Amino acid sequence: MRVAMLSLHTSPLAPLGGRETGGMNVYVREVAAQLAEAGVACDVFTRRTEPALPEIEALGNGARLVHITAGPVEHLEKEALPPLVDAFAEAVEAFREREGLTYDLIHSHYWLSVASGDLLARRWAAPHIAMFHTLGDVKLRARASEHETPERLEAERRLVHSLDRIVAATEHERQLLRQLFRVSPQKVAVIPLGVDLGRFEPRSRAEARAALGLSQTARIVLAVGRIEPLKGFDILVRAIAEMTHREDVRLILVGGDARASVERARLLAVAAEVGVSDRVDLVGAVPHERLAQYYSAADVVAMPSFYESFGLVAIEAMACGVPVVASRVGGLTSTIADGRTGYLIAWRCPSPFAEKIDLLLENEALRDALGANAAQAMHAYSWRSVAASLIEQYEGLTTETAQVAAVGGA
Ligand code: UDP
C-alpha cells in the first residue's frame, strides 16, 4: 500500500514549539515512520518554504518527505494559505505523475490539507481519511476571544461530510463531530496519539536538574507548548502568586519562537502584575529530544489550556513519571485519571490550579505515587499501535473502494 500524507501548512521536520509547530508535526513524523516500518510506503507532502531544501528528505524507516512548491517559496502565515490549496494539489499530482506512482489512499492533516486532499481524492478516485487536529468551531467555543476566519469554518463544516473517514483523538471529539456537524459516529475512528517511551521515561530528577543547571531544592512547575492564549499560561502565572510556599516555586515555561513575542510580553506583564517576575522563566522552544530532561527535572507539569484536542505534552510528562495538573478539557480528560495520575481542574482560573499544585509540592509521597501511576498508565500509548490502528482503517477503506470499483465496472 502507498499512502499520500498531506501536511500542507507545516513540515513534520520543522522545529517544535513555534506558533504553528506542535503536536501535529510530531504526529505526522512519528506515524509516517511507523507506517513505513510496518510496510506501508508513505510520502508526506508539505509546502516548500525554503529554496535550499532538497525535493525529497528521508523521514525514517523509508518514509519520505516531499517539498511541494505552491505559491512563494517562503514562510507564509496560515491565513495566507487558503488560496494555495488548489496549487498544492496540482503540484502533488504533477509529482505523482512524474514519478509514475499510484497512491491507494490520502491521509490529510488540518483543514488546509483536507481541502487539497479533497481535490486529489476526486481526481485519483482514492479514499480520503483525515485528522483535523483542531476545528475552528471547537476553538471558538473554548475561549471567548478566539478568532477564526469564516473561510475555515465554512470549509470544515463542508469537508467533514466529503471525507471517507475522520480520525479523532478521543471519544469526546467523535461526539463533538456528531453534535456540531451531524457526522455519523460510524464515520469516525477514535485513535489516541502515542508517545515515544524510549525517549520519555522516568529518570533521576537530581541528574536532570544538574544537567540543566537548575536548583536541586526549588519546587519546579513546568509548562510546555506553543506560546498562545489558548494554552492558558497566564492562569498558571497567576496561580504561582497564590501558592503557599511561593518563594521556593519556579515556573518554567518551554515553547515559543520569535513570533510568540506578543503573548510572551503579555505573560511577563502578568508576572510583574502579580509580583512573581523573579520566579517565572520563559526559556523558549526546546528541541523534542531534549525535552525529556525538562520533564524529569519538574515536580509537576501544568496544562491550564482552554482546549486540547489531545495534549501530547500530558502523556510525555506522565511517561516521564511526572504528575500533570490540567484543565478538564478535550483529550486531557481521557489521558489523565483524576486523583490517580494527576488532577483535572474544571475551572479556567488560578486558585484551583494553585491548590492542586500546592498539594503535590507539599506531599512528596503523593507526588511520587501519582508519578509512578502515570508512568505505568502510559505504557498503553505507543506510536506503533497508532500506526497499526491506522493501517486497519486504511485497509478497510481501500477494500471498500475496490469493491465499489468492481461493482461499478461490472
Ligand atoms: N514541543 C517541543 N518543544 C517545545 C514545545 C513543544 O518539542 O519547545 C512538543 C511537545 O513535546 C509535544 C508537542 O510539541 O510533543 C506539542 O503537542 P501538544 O499536543 O501538547 O500541543 P499542540 O501543539 O498540538 O497544541
Side-chain angles (χ1 to χ4, degrees):
M1 190 185 309
R2 184 180 296 279
V3 171
M5 192 170 282
L6 308 186
S7 179
L8 187 158
H9 81 279
T10 181
S11 162
L13 295 183
L16 299 174
R19 178 165 171 248
E20 279 140 22
T21 54
M24 177 179 142
N25 307 68
V26 176
Y27 188 96
V28 171
R29 193 183 67 202
E30 297 282 354
V31 160
Q34 292 296 334
L35 288 172
E37 166 88 19
V40 174
C42 188
D43 285 343
V44 179
F45 295 94
T46 193
R47 200 184 73 85
R48 177 184 283 283
T49 55
E50 283 175 44
L53 289 168
E55 183 181 37
I56 298 176
E57 278 185 271
L59 269 183
N61 298 333
R64 307 191 298 176
L65 175 64
V66 185
H67 293 103
I68 288 293
T69 301
V73 180
E74 61 188 13
H75 177 83
L76 294 175
E77 295 296 331
K78 257 192 310 210
E79 293 68 25
L81 295 176
L84 301 179
V85 156
D86 292 18
F88 186 80
E90 287 300 325
V92 172
E93 165 59 3
F95 173 87
R96 184 204 65 75
E97 204 169 22
R98 196 191 76 204
E99 297 284 305
L101 297 170
T102 307
Y103 291 102
D104 301 296
L105 178 134
I106 301 161
H107 186 166
S108 306
H109 297 272
Y110 194 73
W111 78 271
L112 292 163
S113 301
V114 182
S116 266
D118 196 47
L119 302 171
L120 290 168
R122 285 162 212 263
R123 186 141 183 179
W124 299 346
H128 189 194
I129 182 168
M131 189 156 183
F132 283 91
H133 296 269
T134 62
L135 287 160
D137 278 298
V138 175
K139 270 177 84 177
L140 288 181
R141 279 166 177 76
R143 188 170 165 274
S145 39
E146 285 297 310
H147 170 76
E148 278 307 337
T149 59
E151 191 171 22
R152 172 181 182 181
L153 298 172
E154 184 279 320
E156 286 178 345
R157 289 169 193 161
R158 175 175 55 82
L159 289 165
V160 288
H161 296 290
S162 65
L163 284 159
D164 297 294
R165 185 73 30 95
I166 300 174
V167 178
T170 60
E171 187 55 43
H172 171 77
E173 204 180 321
R174 185 190 343 224
Q175 292 309 325
L176 281 174
L177 285 161
R178 188 176 60 80
Q179 287 158 10
L180 294 173
F181 308 123
R182 297 179 185 277
V183 175
S184 152
Q186 278 86 49
K187 201 172 167 173
V188 183
V190 176
I191 306 177
L193 280 67
V195 60
D196 179 344
L197 295 169
R199 174 172 288 170
F200 298 104
E201 60 179 348
R203 297 219 179 92
S204 151
R205 185 178 299 132
E207 281 174 25
R209 288 188 180 193
L212 293 171
L214 297 170
S215 151
Q216 293 292 344
T217 53
R219 294 147 191 260
I220 296 181
V221 179
L222 175 71
V224 179
R226 291 173 293 110
I227 303 290
E228 63 160 38
L230 203 66
K231 295 285 178 187
F233 292 141
D234 52 332
I235 297 169
L236 195 54
V237 172
R238 290 183 191 280
I240 298 297
E242 292 191 16
M243 290 172 60
T244 319
H245 292 287
R246 56 181 178 273
E247 300 74 27
D248 305 336
V249 176
R250 300 221 75 80
L251 170 61
I252 300 181
L253 274 176
V254 168
D257 57 10
R259 288 179 304 140
S261 58
V262 173
E263 179 62 6
R264 201 185 142 82
R266 187 174 80 96
L267 293 173
L268 291 174
V270 172
E273 178 198 325
V274 297
V276 296
S277 296
D278 55 339
R279 268 158 281 148
V280 175
D281 293 322
L282 275 76
V283 299
V286 169
H288 208 225
E289 49 287 1
R290 277 188 42 225
L291 208 53
Q293 221 158 31
Y294 278 85
Y295 291 127
S296 297
D299 291 295
V300 178
V301 167
M303 289 184 85
S305 314
F306 285 81
Y307 191 73
E308 290 287 345
S309 59
F310 187 75
L312 276 180
V313 162
I315 64 169
E316 291 166 358
M318 288 192 281
C320 292
V322 183
V324 181
V325 178
S327 302
R328 189 186 285 278
V329 294
L332 300 172
T333 61
S334 67
T335 53
I336 298 169
D338 191 27
R340 227 183 72 75
T341 62
Y343 291 109
L344 290 168
I345 309 287
W347 300 276
R348 249 60 73 218
C349 51
S351 305
F353 277 91
E355 188 193 317
K356 289 299 190 218
I357 295 171
D358 253 342
L359 181 67
L360 289 169
L361 295 182
E362 293 300 302
N363 190 335
E364 203 163 325
L366 177 70
R367 187 193 58 196
D368 290 349
L370 263 58
N373 289 344
Q376 179 64 34
M378 290 308 108
H379 289 147
Y381 295 85
S382 78
W383 290 113
R384 186 189 294 257
S385 63
V386 176
S389 304
L390 285 172
I391 291 170
E392 249 176 63
Q393 297 297 324
Y394 292 175
E395 283 172 350
L397 288 170
T398 49
T399 307
E400 272 170 41
T401 306
Q403 282 165 354
V404 170
V407 171

